[in-house]
Amino acid sequence: MPHIALDDRIPGLPSLLAFRPETAGPLVALAETLLRGESPLGRGDRELIASYVSELNGCRFCAGSHGACAAAQLPGGEDLVQQVHADLDAASVSPKTKALLRIAAAVARGGREVADAHITAARTEGATDMEIHDTVLIAAAFCMYNRYVDGLGTTLPPDPAIYTEVAKRLTTHGYKSALTRP
Amino acid sequence: MPHIALDDRIPGLPSLLAFRPETAGPLVALAETLLRGESPLGRGDRELIASYVSELNGCRFCAGSHGACAAAQLPGGEDLVQQVHADLDAASVSPKTKALLRIAAAVARGGREVADAHITAARTEGATDMEIHDTVLIAAAFCMYNRYVDGLGTTLPPDPAIYTEVAKRLTTHGYKSALTRP
């Protein structure tokens, strides 16, 4: 049960966006910029970083919804997302993506957990400054979204198929659609 | 040394805002809304939540700058901020503020660390849904800012007196001034 009085017809983050429209605007603008704005990282890879960090943080709502967004935009689909969530070392992603996801995992543990070795490993696989920057900021941002969603005890959707529906909307119309259609 | 090529004349978060203006906009808009927008929590108390979480996360830049913003806006000044950073239980803050700071500390550990008991304790001291919401979101947001600042290895200002100067600007002109005057 949520820790505060939220609309019980809306699960997860959207219930918080509806509760506090003043903060919803900047939160959604940030997600749109990070996950769909200009970046050397593809949208699918960015969603994969978001879902992987959410999985590591134990945030089922964010792992489910961003996992579905990643699956919708990556050739490997749902199977690839599940591989990454279950065991990054064994997952069928490129060495560069793997190195960036390891940076994201370090960020999830804490900012000071990112070591020179993580960065060197990513550069060895061809990662640029901008790719490293965007990886760190997306991972950091999901440490926020995850804590917001779980820290206020929001509910999960009754049917996980809803994640696929939500992903269809988000990958087509963008994150700002979350402000009008929870 | 920073993990990516940042302007070495600028310490901390502002060096990242200058590196990536596209993400700087939403990040600064979020800080402005959370820390200076409409809220039942005073600006000094919101800065205290931000600095306390940053201290718990070991982020010296954010603890220093938001600690200075809290000190500038709270009657207890710098001494009170240091008390909270050093030992919340013994600090001279109201029981309600203490209960909200304990919620913030739980958020710093993880979203699922916020227990019914933390919420009940805050409500017993008179905290409202909106105060609990804003506390959780500010704490969550600083788990992002802290990881962004430290995850990319930004530098500290050469002289800690700079925090007081920065706080003077931020508490007078707001966070959007960080986009034009690092």
Side-chain angles (χ1 to χ4, degrees), chain A residues 4-6 10 22 30 33 46 49 66-67 87 92 105 111-112 123 137-138 148 160 163 167 181:
Chain A
I4 58 175
L6 302 173
I10 316 175
E22 299 84 354
L30 180 63
T33 305
R46 285 181 272 167
I49 294 166
H66 294 281
D87 181 1
S92 303
R112 299 166 83 168
R123 286 199 197 287
L137 182 50
I138 292 167
Y148 185 34
Y163 295 132
R181 293 168 55 190

Side-chain angles (χ1 to χ4, degrees), chain A residues 3-5 20 22 33 38 58 107-108 111-112 114 116 119 123 129-130 133-134 140-141 143-144 147-148 150-151, chain B residues 3-5 20 22 26 33 38 58 107-108 111-112 114 116 119 123 129-130 133-134 140-141 144 147-148 150-151:
Chain A
H3 291 312
I4 58 175
R20 189 76 154 112
E22 299 84 354
T33 305
E38 282 293 314
V107 170
R112 299 166 83 168
V114 180
D116 289 343
I119 305 296
R123 286 199 197 287
D129 271 17
M130 193 61 84
H133 170 278
D134 286 8
C143 289
M144 168 179 70
R147 282 166 169 78
Y148 185 34
D150 284 338
Chain B
H3 290 312
I4 58 175
R20 189 75 154 114
E22 300 83 353
T33 305
E38 283 291 317
V107 170
R112 298 165 83 169
V114 180
D116 289 343
I119 305 295
R123 286 201 196 286
D129 271 16
M130 194 61 85
H133 170 278
D134 286 8
M144 169 180 69
R147 281 167 169 78
Y148 185 35
D150 284 338

Side-chain angles (χ1 to χ4, degrees), chain B:
Chain B
M1 216 183 81
H3 290 312
I4 58 175
L6 301 172
D7 184 336
D8 61 10
R9 295 162 303 179
I10 316 176
L13 185 69
S15 66
L16 299 170
L17 301 179
F19 178 82
R20 189 75 154 114
E22 300 83 353
T23 49
L27 286 170
V28 162
L30 181 62
E32 177 71 17
T33 305
L34 290 178
L35 299 173
R36 292 171 45 89
E38 283 291 317
S39 170
L41 298 173
R43 288 180 177 179
D45 285 334
R46 285 182 272 167
E47 292 285 358
L48 189 61
I49 294 165
S51 76
Y52 180 53
V53 166
S54 301
E55 179 74 15
L56 293 175
N57 283 331
C59 183
R60 290 173 61 195
F61 180 81
C62 296
S65 48
H66 294 280
C69 289
Q73 297 179 101
L74 290 172
E78 179 60 21
D79 179 55
L80 182 73
V81 173
Q82 289 310 321
Q83 282 181 36
V84 167
H85 285 194
D87 182 0
L88 176 61
D89 290 339
S92 303
V93 292
S94 74
K96 185 170 94 174
T97 299
K98 205 172 278 191
L100 292 174
L101 287 168
R102 288 197 181 111
I103 292 175
V107 170
R109 293 192 297 276
R112 298 165 83 169
E113 297 289 325
V114 180
D116 289 343
H118 294 114
I119 305 295
T120 304
R123 286 201 196 286
T124 302
E125 301 301 342
T128 63
D129 271 16
M130 194 61 85
E131 288 171 327
I132 292 167
H133 170 278
D134 286 8
T135 297
V136 169
L137 182 50
I138 291 167
F142 277 82
C143 289
M144 169 180 69
Y145 293 117
N146 297 165
R147 281 167 169 78
Y148 185 35
V149 163
D150 284 338
L152 286 165
T154 66
T155 56
L156 291 172
D159 177 0
I162 288 173
Y163 294 131
T164 311
E165 285 307 303
V166 169
K168 204 175 290 176
R169 175 167 57 77
L170 292 175
T171 56
T172 309
H173 301 290
Y175 283 89
K176 292 190 179 170
S177 68
L179 292 176
T180 45
R181 294 167 55 190

Side-chain angles (χ1 to χ4, degrees), chain A residues 25-51:
Chain A
L27 286 169
V28 162
L30 180 63
E32 178 70 17
T33 305
L34 289 178
L35 299 174
R36 292 170 47 88
E38 282 293 314
S39 169
L41 298 173
R43 289 181 176 179
D45 285 335
R46 285 181 272 167
E47 292 286 358
L48 190 61
I49 294 166
S51 76

Side-chain angles (χ1 to χ4, degrees), chain A residues 12-146:
Chain A
L13 185 69
S15 66
L16 299 170
L17 301 180
F19 179 82
R20 189 76 154 112
E22 299 84 354
T23 49
L27 286 169
V28 162
L30 180 63
E32 178 70 17
T33 305
L34 289 178
L35 299 174
R36 292 170 47 88
E38 282 293 314
S39 169
L41 298 173
R43 289 181 176 179
D45 285 335
R46 285 181 272 167
E47 292 286 358
L48 190 61
I49 294 166
S51 76
Y52 181 52
V53 167
S54 301
E55 178 74 15
L56 293 174
N57 282 331
C59 184
R60 289 172 62 195
F61 181 82
C62 297
S65 47
H66 294 281
C69 289
Q73 297 178 102
L74 290 171
E78 178 61 20
D79 179 55
L80 182 74
V81 173
Q82 288 311 321
Q83 282 182 34
V84 167
H85 285 195
D87 181 1
L88 176 60
D89 289 339
S92 303
V93 292
S94 74
K96 184 169 94 175
T97 299
K98 205 172 278 191
L100 292 174
L101 288 168
R102 288 198 181 109
I103 292 176
V107 170
R109 294 193 298 276
R112 299 166 83 168
E113 298 289 325
V114 180
D116 289 343
H118 294 116
I119 305 296
T120 304
R123 286 199 197 287
T124 302
E125 301 300 343
T128 63
D129 271 17
M130 193 61 84
E131 288 171 328
I132 291 167
H133 170 278
D134 286 8
T135 297
V136 169
L137 182 50
I138 292 167
F142 277 82
C143 289
M144 168 179 70
Y145 293 118
N146 297 165

